Amino acid sequence: EVESQGCRLPSLICPGAIVWPGASLGENCSVGSGAVIEGGCKVGFNSHIGAGARIGTGTLLGSSTWVGKGTQIGTRVRIGSNATIGRGVILDDELVLGRQCILDVPGRRSTPVAEKTFITASFPRGAVVVDGGRSLAPS
């Protein structure tokens, strides 16, 4: 609605956050204090990077992605739109995380995660949302 009226929604970067030259933030993003977004990163529209999070060089985050406080994301990681990455999650370099995933169990992830996979305290081994009769196996 606001955009259709010609208004832009700027990104909000808290004091103490570092956005390297060559990194780009879509409109309406927020970056918490102490977060670091390295060069070559692209953060999609309406995404949030929590305080103290670190996003490695060349990482791509889809639109409406939520990165929790203190999360560590390696270099050249690909994260789909509408993903949620909780506090204490570490994603290794070049990992692919599908769209609409929720990773909310602290710890390191080194294998790809299929879209619509939920890894939470209730489903620590993973659960997949079944869509239209087809399912994607959790990693």
Side-chain angles (χ1 to χ4, degrees):
E1 179 77 29
V2 172
E3 286 182 303
S4 67
Q5 303 298 317
C7 295
R8 295 196 48 133
L9 301 169
S11 290
L12 302 173
I13 302 171
C14 287
I18 298 170
V19 179
W20 286 23
S24 67
L25 300 176
E27 289 187 40
N28 198 40
C29 289
S30 61
V31 181
S33 181
V36 176
I37 301 174
E38 294 181 4
C41 290
K42 292 185 179 168
V43 179
F45 168 84
N46 201 43
S47 292
H48 170 77
I49 309 298
R54 184 173 191 99
I55 313 297
T57 303
T59 290
L60 302 178
L61 276 74
S63 61
S64 298
T65 296
W66 179 275
V67 176
K69 189 176 188 179
T71 298
Q72 303 295 307
I73 298 176
T75 61
R76 295 176 307 282
V77 173
R78 303 291 180 260
I79 298 172
S81 298
N82 300 304
T84 300
I85 305 162
R87 192 177 205 173
V89 173
I90 301 168
L91 301 181
D92 283 346
D93 295 346
E94 300 183 8
L95 184 85
V96 176
L97 179 68
R99 64 186 182 85
Q100 298 177 336
C101 285
I102 297 175
L103 294 184
D104 199 27
V105 174
R108 180 175 299 277
R109 296 285 313 174
S110 59
T111 57
V113 179
E115 68 178 35
K116 299 182 182 179
T117 298
F118 291 13
I119 299 174
T120 66
S122 297
F123 301 103
R125 295 182 61 198
V128 177
V129 176
V130 177
D131 184 17
R134 65 182 176 87
S135 173
L136 300 172
S139 302

